[in-house]
Amino acid sequence: MELFSSNRRQQDAHNHCVPLLDIFDDDEDEDACFIVMPLLRIYNSPGFDSVDEILDFVRQTLQVSFFTDAFSVSVVQACLSQGLIYMHALNVAHR
């Protein structure tokens, strides 16, 4: 998170990572720390405009599969691929 939150990386148009605002140690556990990130959006802002939006929100919140067609799946795959390509270009591995 620190790498992606540096001033230089935040200016990169390919970086869509949530910025790290602060990091501090846990006083009770030396192996733990706390990270502070911005609140991206509260659940109802902007407000819902239709019942479909409410149902979509509930499906996503409950982690029920909401990808109902091949187009939705391909959009999600493209977004994930772009994120992985960006991180891998910076030699970040994941497991």
Side-chain angles (χ1 to χ4, degrees), residues 44-88:
N44 63 349
S45 173
F48 299 112
D49 289 329
S50 68
V51 173
D52 285 340
E53 288 182 357
I54 295 169
L55 294 175
D56 189 46
F57 167 76
V58 170
R59 281 187 209 104
Q60 291 180 46
T61 303
L62 297 176
Q63 298 181 6
V64 174
S65 177
F66 58 94
F67 304 115
T68 57
D69 57 31
F71 176 75
S72 297
V73 171
S74 66
V75 168
V76 170
Q77 287 173 339
C79 291
L80 290 173
S81 296
Q82 289 172 2
L84 290 175
I85 290 168
Y86 177 72
M87 291 190 302
H88 288 171

Side-chain angles (χ1 to χ4, degrees), residues 25-43:
D25 295 327
D26 185 335
D27 292 336
E28 297 179 15
D29 183 351
E30 64 183 41
D31 294 326
C33 65
F34 293 95
I35 58 173
V36 181
M37 300 179 301
L39 174 63
L40 299 179
R41 171 177 292 197
I42 57 174
Y43 77 93

Side-chain angles (χ1 to χ4, degrees), residues 1 18-24 34-38:
M1 285 191 78
V18 176
L20 174 66
L21 301 177
D22 198 4
I23 186 167
F24 55 94
F34 293 95
I35 58 173
V36 181
M37 300 179 301

